[in-house]
């Protein structure tokens, strides 16, 4: 009964920035482990970033560390992914995901841990 709706994707030049949003409804937002995953053309879905229930603990894939920032706004029931210094290899469909409980032992990296997924939003970075 959890619904996730992503927005904010689009076309941007290399070196530019985008901020993705994921609006969450159906259950208590603060009770969810939240994550962002992405799938590039011809590749498997891969982990990008995750945030614990309280939003204080975060984890990032090595490929995005230092460029992407995940955050969550309890008042708006919204998860964000701020993406800076974008590269063409960041081009992918980005998916928001939610787990009913926080399981931080795996740092939110395992897609199998997440029960709910958004429809995805396309991010295209041109060179």
């Amino acid at each position: 009964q959890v619904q996730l709706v992503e927005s904010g994707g689009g076309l941007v030049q290399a070196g530019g920035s985008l901020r993705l949003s994921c609006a969450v409804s159906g259950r208590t937002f603060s009770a969810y482990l939240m994550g962002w995953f992405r799938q590039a053309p011809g590749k498997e879905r891969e982990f990008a970033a995750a945030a614990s229930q309280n939003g204080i603990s975060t984890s990032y894939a090595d490929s995005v560390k230092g460029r992407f920032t995940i955050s969550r706004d309890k008042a708006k029931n919204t998860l964000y992914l701020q993406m800076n210094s974008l590269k063409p290899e960041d081009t992918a469909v980005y998916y928001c995901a939610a787990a009913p409980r926080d399981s931080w032992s795996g740092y939110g990296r395992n897609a199998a841990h997440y029960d709910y997924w958004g429809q995805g939003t396309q991010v295209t970075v041109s060179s």
Side-chain angles (χ1 to χ4, degrees):
Q1 297 185 25
V2 175
Q3 185 174 4
L4 310 176
V5 181
E6 300 101 332
S7 62
L11 175 64
V12 65
Q13 295 185 36
S17 299
L18 285 173
R19 188 175 76 161
L20 305 184
S21 299
C22 173
V24 184
S25 64
R27 297 181 67 181
T28 304
F29 177 70
S30 62
Y32 305 150
L33 166 67
M34 302 295 300
W36 288 99
F37 291 78
R38 65 185 188 180
Q39 187 166 18
K43 295 185 177 181
E44 299 291 329
R45 185 175 298 186
E46 67 176 4
F47 168 79
S52 64
Q53 289 177 337
N54 59 19
I56 296 175
S57 298
T58 59
S59 64
Y60 298 92
D62 289 342
S63 59
V64 308
K65 191 174 298 182
R67 300 187 297 118
F68 290 11
T69 302
I70 188 171
S71 62
R72 51 199 301 167
D73 188 330
K74 289 185 177 181
K76 297 181 179 180
N77 285 354
T78 302
L79 179 76
Y80 301 99
L81 185 66
Q82 178 67 46
M83 306 184 295
N84 298 326
S85 301
L86 284 163
K87 305 174 181 179
E89 48 264 48
D90 294 319
T91 295
V93 177
Y94 283 72
Y95 299 91
C96 175
R101 297 182 300 174
D102 199 3
S103 183
W104 203 240
S105 60
Y107 304 100
R109 295 174 175 267
N110 189 354
H113 183 73
Y114 296 88
D115 292 330
Y116 307 103
W117 296 81
Q119 298 301 308
T121 185
Q122 177 71 48
V123 172
T124 302
V125 184
S126 63
S127 60

